[in-house]
Amino acid sequence: MLPDFSVIDDPLERSAVITWRPLRDDHTEVQLAIRRRRSGSHPRAARDLHRMFVERGRAYEAGQPGVAAPRPR
């Protein structure tokens, strides 16, 4: 998810590789899916991002959507 100014009129947007959609309002829910290979090495930043999303997802499911996940090391 990116701000519109970083996508609109981007060469990838003009060639229809990516697109943008406005959010309906401040209460719009966004579902995010992360895909990664099961084998091989992953960059540390990708591992940290994955861990953060998993932790936030678990906190949300536990009814604590405002819980901040630890910052990546």
Side-chain angles (χ1 to χ4, degrees):
M1 197 154 100
L2 300 167
D4 59 0
F5 62 81
S6 69
V7 177
I8 295 174
D9 206 34
D10 181 277
L12 293 174
E13 192 258 342
R14 289 194 310 259
S15 63
V17 173
I18 62 173
T19 190
W20 70 276
R21 299 283 186 267
L23 295 178
R24 183 175 307 158
D25 55 37
D26 288 343
H27 304 290
T28 300
E29 290 188 21
V30 176
Q31 294 183 1
L32 176 68
I34 295 179
R35 295 186 61 187
R36 66 180 188 160
R37 295 174 295 188
R38 291 180 182 232
S39 62
S41 64
H42 301 95
R44 182 176 184 160
R47 291 191 313 265
D48 289 344
L49 182 64
H50 180 263
R51 180 179 41 76
M52 182 190 73
F53 282 133
V54 168
E55 289 171 358
R56 286 199 176 208
R58 288 181 180 147
Y60 183 83
E61 287 176 350
Q64 305 165 3
V67 173
R71 300 189 95 174
R73 292 176 223 112

